Amino acid sequence: MTFASSVRLFQTLVMSFHSAIVIETVEEERVRTLINKAINELQMAVFEWSVSQGLTRSQGNSQHRWTNEYAPPGTQKPQALDQTFEPVDALKHIAELPFQAIYWLKDLGPHLKDDDVVRRQLREVIQQFAQNRSTLVITGHSITLPPDIAQDVVYFDLKLPEPDELYRAISEVVRSLKGRISVEIQPDGIDELVQAMRGMTLQQARKVIAFAALDDGKLTADDVKRVLQRKVQVLHEDGLLDYVPPEMNPAQLGGFNGLKQWLQRARVGFGAQAKAFNLPTPRGILIVGIQGCGKSLAAKTIAREWQMPLLKLDAGRLYDKFIGESEKNFRRAVTLAETMSPAILWIDEIEKSMGQSDSDADGGLSRRLFGYFLTWLQEKSGDVFVVATANDLSRIPPELLRKGRFDEIFFVDLPDEAERAAILQIHLVRRKQDPQRFELAALVQATDGFSGAEIEQVIITSLYRAIYEQRPVDTELIINEVKSTVPLSISRREDLHALRIMAQERFVSVK
């Protein structure tokens, strides 16, 4: 939804007697722009309240300025109405004002938790406004309303800035820095900058562009990399998604030829021809199998091969001690993923966050998250390709394994000879070792029954030992490390056998 569409939707809500609108956001600048654009046609006054500023009458935007009769002559900053700093006093004053207006209440949510009077006064104002077309707009980072109030409000989804807003943000920064920087970027470079900033707030976008331009006195195509680096930090600090742009994704996958062929076919689903035929974009895949055999690496490789950003959803960050917050976190995460589409959303070990539990210790939270995930997977609007991985099939709900939930379900077994040879070469080269110096056939034979992660660890420990003994690493040293390692294929032989039997009947091999 574009920002212009958001303005039209907001106007419709106001005109249809929605007396309270909740917007969960920290971008107060965009809320102010939304309201100011809406009142150009609605011809309504606007009041703003915060606990630090009290209740003031807004000046509106440049095309629709209101006269503030409460401010002394010559005063630029709007003056607060008397005795309106406390929430209950502000709400009482609002109820007495003879205006059809929009009343913007900032960070009111925390005041509703422990104050019965504030809650009651808010409810009465909402009921009063339902008759006269005035509207309360309540904003904040995360707003939890009492049930008796929640049923009378509507939640307005103000998504993160769209490309047109980000383009304007770049233009504003360039104008503000005129004379201090030179602009040496072509139009296609601007498009890349805009794409790199998707998923940021307007304030974050302005700051990162200004920093990139001022650092060397010019705005160039090279600044895209700086924006991406800052974006990685911003999303990590937000705490819900880890972000890896294609330029920073070095993943290499040995084997998995069956999966690679399937992905080559699926990729056309994101193209113009598929859209011309009204074909839905691919939903995603579920990869199940043995630990350490490349499931996570497959997710990274898909993002690199498709040249899409990789967004890792860390399930542990979703959970919150407050009721309802975990579900909100998940909605925020998938909304962010859609904003940054086309993208790969990687949900690692999905059974740990949305799997079946032997008890109700989490109050049914896992089941609720699972239900929301299924609904979103079926109805998602953005070009987000989901790669979910799982180790423990016993904890995966049967509904997730049903055909049609994912485009395909793949099973990852232990690597065969050809795959082990590819894995050995990848990790030897990565550690600056020439594969030609080793008896690769002997190493392939020795690592029979080893997973890819176990092979990598053998190479690492062999190099550590070579450094300690002040000798070059060779085939014999690696084979000795192999012999001292007990792989999962032996320590968990029974589990592996049961998993293979199930996979033969239900899943597609990645080979």
Side-chain angles (χ1 to χ4, degrees), residues 331-397:
R331 286 195 292 270
R332 282 176 54 213
V334 296
T335 299
L336 179 58
E338 289 185 336
T339 300
M340 297 173 62
S341 65
I344 306 296
L345 179 62
W346 170 27
I347 306 178
D348 197 23
E349 296 184 343
I350 192 172
E351 74 273 21
K352 291 185 177 179
S353 57
M354 305 176 199
Q356 298 181 120
S357 176
D358 295 332
S359 66
D360 291 326
D362 65 354
L365 176 58
S366 296
R367 290 194 295 272
R368 292 196 300 274
L369 283 178
F370 174 68
Y372 186 86
F373 171 71
L374 287 186
T375 302
W376 173 78
L377 186 65
Q378 197 74 28
E379 301 176 358
K380 61 184 175 70
S381 55
D383 292 343
V384 180
F385 187 80
V386 178
V387 180
T389 63
N391 295 323
D392 188 354
L393 286 179
S394 65
R395 293 182 57 189
I396 296 180

Side-chain angles (χ1 to χ4, degrees), residues 181-225:
I181 66 169
S182 61
V183 178
E184 303 174 8
I185 188 170
Q186 300 300 317
D188 56 345
I190 293 289
D191 293 339
E192 290 183 20
L193 273 178
V194 169
Q195 184 62 34
M197 292 190 299
R198 296 198 68 180
M200 292 181 174
T201 65
L202 278 183
Q203 285 283 23
Q204 291 168 341
R206 289 195 190 101
K207 289 176 182 177
V208 72
I209 286 295
F211 178 84
L214 288 171
D215 188 49
D216 57 3
K218 53 188 177 182
L219 188 64
T220 69
D222 292 338
D223 289 323
V224 173
K225 295 179 181 178

